[in-house]
Amino acid sequence: MRTSIATVCLSGTLEEKLRAAARAGFDGVEIFEQDLVVSPDSPEAIATLAADLGISLDLYQPFRDLEGVDEAQFQKNLRRAETKFQLMARLGIDTILLCSNVGTATISDDGVVVEQLRRLGDLADRHRVNIAYEALAWGRFVSEYDHAWDLVKAADHPRIGTCLDSFHILSRNTDLSRIAEIPGDKIFFLQLADAPALTMDVLSWSRHHRVFPGEGAWDLSDFLTRIAATGYTGPVSLEVFNDSFRQGDTNRTAVDGLRSLRWLEASIADASADSAAPGSGLDLQPLPEVEEPRGINYVELSTDDLGALTRQMHQLGFQFIGYHRSKPHVQLWLRGKARIIVSEVTEEAGTSSAPVNPTFLRGIGFEVADSKSAMERAALLHAKEVPRDQAHNDEVLRGVFAPDGSEVFFHQFNETTPAWIREFGHDHDEQISHIEHVNLAQPSNHYDEAVLFYTSLLALHAQSSQDVPSPSGLVRSQVMSSTDGSVRMPLNVSPQPNAEAVAGRGIGSVAEPYPEHVAVACEDVFHAAATALSRGLDFLPVPQNYYEDLDSRFDLDPEFLQRLQAHHVLYDRDEHGEFLHFYTSTIGSVFFEMIERRGDYLGFGAPDAPVRLAAQHRKNVQLSA
Ligand code: MG
Ligand code: MG
């Protein structure tokens, strides 16, 4: 599949954008006019640069407000078009995007528009230029793709075709069945964008909130399948207007974009292989398949405060198992099947100016059906491999960096105890406890990238997002999970102004890291809490007001309520079951949660999250006072 990206998706100068697109592996770009206008480079120099980089210039865009105007205005518009055709010749671009008129159209008459498109086509033919006519969702008289297609069809001119843009079509919820009527060779260009489900005016939605395929709420696989079935063979291009992307790192956004197309391409390639559906015109390439992960094999915490962290783990009932046989600073702690690797980070001599690493969640090992193909797939999706020292007799373990800098390892699933724990001198797991979810903080500007990362590399599904109030703002929370729930990861976007100050991974300031946590399932939360109490655990305090409110909400047995409060246990229930849990205080940017689920309660105690956030905020205020 030929891939392309509009320069408007990326930050930087035109030259930087072209270099980033080429480096990420795109086949071509759409030149957005504004990027050229502000560039000091001549059109010829841009063409030369693109050729040197090995990318094609696929489209010049946009040309606005041509059709549906009176004759005097139309003459002016043709003259304006001709100057663009001459410019395109200098750039070596043969196709221009024509947006349906939003500003100057005064004539709502398809006959007039058809005639004007035909005359534009004649002019274009003299310059050997193709016109891709696109219905903008907010066009004055033409706002639907099938209307634009009817006009193109009636114009019946070899230089006039249509451009289909998923945003303009899906944002209007237009019936997609008429796409099948369009011959593939009359689709002169294809633009893809996804978007979150928002209720707002469509122009603002389009200009600020488009995201790459897989990062929003739409079914782009279905959309692209329909396009493939027309026989379209041109580039599949990203046109994404997004405020964060435009401020983000150019190379990183380009990689995120290419990943979205590779993932989308593979999702259709797999489906068309199954059903023998058409799609060969796009030359779709599959990726090594990945099944949903079966569970979390381990979590790795990195710490500069080994004493505090391991003391807390002891208080929670974890047992120290041993040191790694070839990495003396790495320990294994177990509570049943909940496996925590603790790696101690010490300040290296001579680097005293470097910030001390606080305790942070360094990585997660996911159990996957085929670790080798998961890693191959990750590499083809341009994830960066984690460099790792490995002794010759250690279990081979490979992984990649997630967008927030944490490490994601692909661990071969197997019903038995993993072999690697022998590297810590241990040989079997108890069965009672396990890691039930991991809650990760995400910098807001890489949040969409994270959703696509976990969707495309690990086949996790994004659940609908929720906003949780905290003293410093709303925390956006979205759960990524496997279908059977064996892997669940709430991703939280912190409201802090410096959103990169997460988890102490050294990206941005670490002034007030947004905490992340490991949630451990246990059989009896009161027993776990009592043990922790007797071992002196610093629980996250829960206010009296919470328990009074709990009583009014659930009309609890007074003895049970008293028991909850005495054990610092929070409570929620729904029609399926109950949820009992307590939190530890935070060390560095990590805390723990112990959980007991009763019945089929599937949530995460969402009503309790604001209580936790407020308590953590109070602690932070105390600490900094
Ligand atoms: Mg468009
Ligand atoms: Mg994080």
Side-chain angles (χ1 to χ4, degrees):
M1 187 173 91
R2 272 178 64 206
T3 57
S4 191
I5 184 168
T7 54
V8 71
C9 302
L10 303 169
S11 65
T13 65
L14 183 54
E15 187 185 332
E16 288 167 341
K17 293 172 192 226
L18 296 181
R19 288 187 187 283
R23 195 175 297 134
F26 282 95
D27 300 306
V29 298
E30 304 174 27
I31 296 286
F32 198 71
E33 182 164 73
Q34 191 61 30
D35 285 323
L36 179 73
V37 170
V38 303
S39 172
D41 299 324
S42 69
E44 290 80 2
I46 298 294
T48 303
L49 175 62
D52 290 349
L53 292 169
I55 53 172
S56 54
L57 300 180
D58 295 326
L59 184 82
Y60 188 80
Q61 73 131 318
F63 191 84
R64 297 187 190 280
D65 295 343
L66 174 104
E67 80 291 14
V69 296
D70 63 34
E71 183 57 25
Q73 183 61 47
F74 187 65
Q75 291 291 343
K76 286 183 199 161
N77 291 350
L78 281 182
R79 212 158 38 242
R80 183 161 57 92
E82 189 158 30
T83 63
K84 299 303 173 193
F85 297 164
Q86 289 158 351
L87 172 63
M88 288 165 65
R90 298 172 63 196
L91 285 161
I93 301 181
D94 66 6
T95 304
I96 186 168
L97 180 76
L98 171 66
C99 301
S100 63
N101 198 323
V102 297
T104 60
T106 51
I107 303 167
S108 171
D109 180 337
D110 283 1
V112 170
V113 173
V114 166
E115 183 53 30
Q116 293 182 339
L117 286 178
R118 205 175 280 147
R119 287 167 65 194
L120 177 70
D122 288 343
L123 177 65
D125 191 50
R126 291 200 286 280
H127 294 269
R128 292 192 290 281
V129 163
N130 299 314
I131 310 290
Y133 182 53
E134 172 189 72
L136 295 188
W138 52 92
R140 176 89 171 84
F141 298 120
V142 179
S143 55
E144 298 280 7
Y145 82 91
D146 51 347
H147 187 188
W149 162 238
D150 287 337
L151 295 166
V152 165
K153 190 178 173 194
D156 189 24
H157 194 292
R159 291 290 181 182
I160 303 289
T162 190
C163 169
L164 297 183
D165 178 328
S166 65
F167 184 88
H168 294 295
I169 298 170
L170 300 177
S171 65
R172 293 187 63 105
N173 220 358
T174 313
D175 175 14
L176 301 179
S177 61
R178 291 201 61 208
I179 290 175
E181 293 175 23
I182 311 176
D185 61 3
K186 290 305 274 184
I187 300 172
F188 280 8
F189 210 72
L190 173 65
Q191 294 175 319
L192 295 185
D194 201 344
L198 298 172
T199 307
M200 66 189 302
D201 85 275
V202 70
L203 178 59
S204 305
W205 190 14
S206 174
R207 291 275 164 84
H208 303 286
H209 300 284
R210 291 188 186 206
V211 286
F212 292 133
E215 298 178 347
W218 291 338
D219 186 353
L220 271 301
S221 297
D222 172 64
F223 186 81
L224 187 56
T225 300
R226 289 168 186 272
I227 305 292
T230 67
Y232 175 74
T233 58
V236 176
S237 189
L238 296 168
E239 189 194 30
V240 169
F241 306 91
N242 181 294
D243 297 351
S244 305
F245 295 177
R246 287 169 94 149
Q247 306 168 16
D249 177 280
T250 314
N251 289 307
R252 184 170 176 160
T253 306
V255 168
D256 186 25
L258 192 72
R259 177 178 297 152
S260 77
L261 287 181
R262 290 285 170 241
W263 166 76
L264 187 63
E265 174 184 18
S267 73
I268 299 177
D270 296 344
S272 62
D274 292 347
S275 64
S280 53
L282 287 177
D283 186 22
L284 300 167
Q285 299 301 316
L287 288 168
E289 274 187 58
V290 65
E291 288 174 27
E292 295 179 9
R294 315 290 176 83
I296 291 177
N297 190 274
Y298 67 86
V299 166
E300 179 171 358
L301 304 177
S302 189
T303 187
D304 68 337
D305 195 349
L306 192 65
L309 180 64
T310 54
R311 178 165 180 259
Q312 194 174 70
M313 289 170 55
H314 167 72
Q315 289 162 336
L316 291 175
F318 279 86
Q319 283 185 297
F320 171 72
I321 298 303
Y323 296 94
H324 191 272
R325 60 192 177 198
S326 61
K327 297 170 192 160
H329 59 289
V330 180
Q331 311 182 350
L332 173 63
W333 288 70
L334 295 184
R335 191 186 200 281
K337 292 203 283 186
R339 309 176 194 109
I340 308 263
I341 294 172
V342 178
S343 52
E344 187 182 16
V345 178
T346 48
E347 218 179 330
E348 281 171 39
T351 59
S352 57
S353 62
V356 178
N357 286 303
T359 300
F360 66 95
L361 201 156
R362 179 172 186 142
I364 302 173
F366 291 93
E367 292 179 348
V368 297
D370 183 342
S371 60
K372 198 161 165 276
S373 80
M375 188 62 207
E376 276 170 34
R377 179 182 172 96
L380 288 166
L381 288 167
H382 299 265
K384 198 167 150 245
E385 182 161 5
V386 177
R388 186 168 178 273
D389 294 336
Q390 194 152 298
H392 68 94
N393 55 349
D394 289 349
E395 190 177 342
V396 174
L397 193 53
R398 294 176 72 191
V400 295
F401 289 105
D404 66 354
S406 57
E407 298 170 3
V408 165
F409 279 92
F410 304 109
H411 198 279
Q412 183 65 46
F413 174 74
N414 149 352
E415 300 288 349
T416 61
T417 297
W420 64 262
I421 65 170
R422 291 194 207 107
E423 295 163 23
F424 293 86
H426 193 66
D427 58 12
H428 75 282
D429 286 335
E430 306 290 333
Q431 296 299 309
I432 299 160
S433 211
H434 65 276
I435 292 172
E436 96 116 58
H437 68 268
V438 180
N439 192 312
L440 297 173
Q442 299 296 312
S444 62
N445 49 345
H446 301 311
Y447 171 74
D448 299 309
E449 187 186 341
V451 170
L452 176 64
F453 176 89
Y454 290 111
T455 303
S456 62
L457 271 75
L458 280 163
L460 294 176
H461 306 282
Q463 314 298 315
S464 62
S465 69
Q466 260 187 324
D467 288 334
V468 180
S470 89
S472 46
L474 284 178
V475 176
R476 180 172 163 201
S477 179
Q478 174 148 39
V479 179
M480 301 296 303
S481 69
S482 58
T483 306
D484 68 0
S486 57
V487 170
R488 288 186 273 201
M489 283 195 307
L491 305 180
N492 287 350
V493 180
S494 103
Q496 288 150 21
N498 183 355
E500 295 218 326
V502 290
R505 289 193 194 94
I507 29 180
S509 140
V510 291
E512 196 186 343
Y514 185 83
E516 308 187 293
H517 78 268
V518 182
V520 178
C522 60
E523 281 199 325
D524 181 347
V525 78
F526 290 116
H527 184 262
T531 305
L533 268 173
S534 71
R535 294 179 180 183
L537 178 75
D538 186 16
F539 286 82
L540 189 75
V542 184
Q544 171 71 22
N545 291 343
Y546 169 80
Y547 290 103
E548 290 175 12
D549 180 59
L550 207 55
D551 190 31
S552 80
R553 283 194 285 143
F554 294 123
D555 189 20
L556 298 172
D557 171 48
E559 219 167 285
F560 181 67
L561 186 66
Q562 215 288 318
R563 200 171 176 217
L564 289 174
Q565 187 163 9
H567 291 82
H568 308 274
V569 171
L570 297 94
Y571 178 83
D572 190 32
R573 77 172 177 228
D574 62 15
E575 63 272 34
H576 308 295
E578 297 169 291
F579 188 68
L580 295 85
H581 58 144
F582 68 86
Y583 299 108
T584 67
S585 62
T586 303
I587 298 172
S589 60
V590 176
F591 64 96
F592 290 91
E593 177 183 12
M594 298 298 291
I595 289 175
E596 179 188 338
R597 289 178 190 268
R598 296 179 177 175
D600 293 320
Y601 181 98
L602 289 177
F604 297 87
D608 299 338
V611 179
R612 164 173 76 74
L613 289 163
Q616 288 172 332
H617 179 75
R618 283 196 307 277
K619 280 244 175 189
N620 272 333
V621 171
Q622 282 167 16
L623 287 175
S624 59

